[in-house]
Amino acid sequence: MITLIEQIKHGQIWDFHGGVHPPENKHQSNQQTIQSAEIPSEIVLPLKQHIGTTGQLLVSVGDKVLKGQPLTKSDVLQACPVHAPTSGEVVAIEARTIAHPSGLTDNCIVIRPDFEDTWAEKSSVDDYLSKSPEDLIDHIRLMGIAGMGGAGFPAARKLQTAHNRTEILILNGAECEPYITADDRLMQERADEIVQGAEILKHIVNPKLTVVALEDNKPEAIEALKTAVMGKDDILVQVVPTKYPSGGEKQLIKLVTGKEVPTKAIPAAIGIMVQNVGTAFAIKRAVIDGEPLIERVVTLTGTTLKEQSNRWALLGTPISFLLDKHGYQPDKKLERVIIGGPMMGFTAPHTQIPVTKVTNCILVPSKREIEPSHGEMACIRCSSCAEACPASLLPQQLQWYAKDQNYDKCEEYNLFDCIECGACAYVCPSEIPLVQYYRQAKAEIRTRDAEHQSAERARERFEAKKARLERDKKEREARHKQAAENRRKAMEKSGDGDAIAAAIARVKAKGEQGSAVAAIKPAVAAAIAKAKAKQAEAAVAGSSEPDNSEMSKLREERKRLARERKAQKEATTDTSPSDSTTDKKDAVAAAIARAKAKKAAQQADAPTSESSEGDAKKAAVAAAIARAKARKAEHAESVEPTENASSDADPKKAAVAAAVARAKARKASQQVDSQDTADVVVPSENDPKKAAVAAAVARAKARKTAQQAEAQDTADMVESSQEDPKKAAVAAAVARAKARKASQQAEAQDTADVVESSEEDPKKAAVAAAVARAKARKAAQQAEAQDTADVVDPSIEEDPKKAAVAAAVARAKARKAAQQAESKQLQSENTEVQAPLIEEPSAEEPVIEDPKKAAVAAAVARAKARKAAQMQNKNEDE
């Protein structure tokens, strides 16, 4: 049976499913040689120009770089370093738009060339045949070689995967995409170097057969390659029919070997490795010449260009620079710049996008050359896409699932077998952009898988940590257990084990005993101990019921102590009346002391009066003061025997008697004050200034008397409220009376202010005096009404608790009688004073116009108003 390699050598060609034959349009750009590269004014190098990870930056802004100097580095095969295409200065490292279907931005190194094009030190391999495949793979990685066919897969990674697994090495020169002729011109002009690259690849992967495959529409390239491989039996140039997409990796493998790559597998799984002819050329320059991948061949084509050809372009060269070199004139109706060919390329957002390692063509067609899409229409289920699919997929089903975001179904229908060749979209009569749906669905699935893998790694790390902690815990417990066992054995050997155990037992016993003692009182604990002892004795003796006599005795003792405390409390309560009587005697003594203090103050004023013997008016004042002293002395003598006599009586009657005595004392004081006022007013008739002074003295004395009376009433009320808790109600009445007293004092003060303000006008003074007298009479009536309301039924005296109330009533009656007597006396005295001074104003008679008499009348009126207010307040307090 003929082997596969023999079949290939005999020129056996297979076919793949589907495929299309679009217009080639290659003759516009493959008729001229490749033009040399030119240095632009700015170079923009994306950090990631391949499939894989991004390397680590080696430069910063402001650094000077040389041509071929590495700008990034990485220790993994999945990353390709980036090198400086020319010498210059790094002016920025920032985000710029990159050549990608999404039109997104990425980090880029911006270099300003110095146009000297100075090379850095080159690192070539003189004798690569003496080097191991691993060393050559690492050297290729450091040179930044990536797949030049359009996918951009790192060459080093692919070589490592195919190492010692490859039977057939295929160099892909098919270049099936319309308009693109970069590989065609490279094979025509650099066929020898491509074959040298193939020799290096053979040394690394050691295949049984190396095949250079290209379409039959490239006769010049076919002839050049055959000439280059002449005399090399292990390298074969294989021509395949022109059919799109014969340049696809899986499709070319099918054409050359007849084998199919399994789903979700790579060609290395079936012993085949495919590399682009441009990648082979770059490997030759990296290994033999020591030049990294810093430039590539780019096809510039389209009817909007004056010159269509291929050009060497430095990586990072802006597309606008290349278009300007070829006389670009944008179409006014539809300006388009396509990166790649018309089948697999994408439209760039602007012309400042840089050239990268995978940029093989820049197509700028006119509107007539390539008509724009008229818009997506509904699928008509014609199955043309399924017939044209080179991967034998169902494009219409994939489009439905991708549009519905049913990614599980997309994977079930082998979405990742799609090579995004665009054959399905090319034949679709509804102009549905199928490839765009597939690209988006692939990106979503990759993102979802990446998140799932990240979560899975996190779960594995968590479980590993949990297992490690559990293992450490068990090991720690085992160590502690072993240490305890070792200590126990050591104590047993030394004989100290029993002593230590006994000490621990004693400590525990003491702790339990201390806690029990702290929780139980000593007496109770003793009783409990006795009871327990007796119970134990009873149990020993066989008694069925324990003896609780000790506990009974303890309870009886507690009851006895409680009774004694109660009796002491009652005895204290019974002796309280005598204490209250003593307190009342103390109050009477305090009142006598206050009276004596007043007397001493008056005696101190007496010499002042005596010193004015030359003045008759001052003599009259002195006489009035003497009379007042006499009256006060008489009242003081009458108060003391009354109090002493009442101290031996019944406690209830003693309280009433004390209240009566206090009322009489206050009455005597008031009578003295009123007499003093009358005496002072009389001699002031002839002098208005002295009359005003006398009136002020009278007001001061009246206020002083009111304050003393209020203080005494408050003390009496407190004393009475202490005798019985029920007398608290009386204290509340006092509080209310004080509130009324405050309002009455304010009213009295207002009246006095009115009278004072009217002293300058005699008529107004007379009116004010009349108003004051009316208010005085009204206050007296209210006080009388209040006294009548406060009278309590005498029957309450039978109740000891209500004795205080009866006493208060008695005191109120006493004060009322004293006030009536006093008011009569004042009226008689005032009549004598006022008769020559003022007459009662009437409607027919005019008001007296004497200023001196008006002032005296006003002073008298103010004195009466204050006195009436004081009496009313006293009545309310009682």
Side-chain angles (χ1 to χ4, degrees), residues 208-222:
K208 296 179 180 179
L209 179 64
T210 300
V211 178
V212 182
L214 67 165
E215 289 182 332
D216 55 9
N217 60 353
K218 304 175 180 61
E220 294 84 0
I222 294 171

Side-chain angles (χ1 to χ4, degrees), residues 225-243:
L225 287 173
K226 286 183 177 181
T227 302
V229 300
M230 191 176 294
K232 301 179 184 297
D233 296 337
D234 54 352
I235 298 178
L236 177 65
V237 177
Q238 186 70 278
V239 180
V240 298
T242 300
K243 182 182 179 181

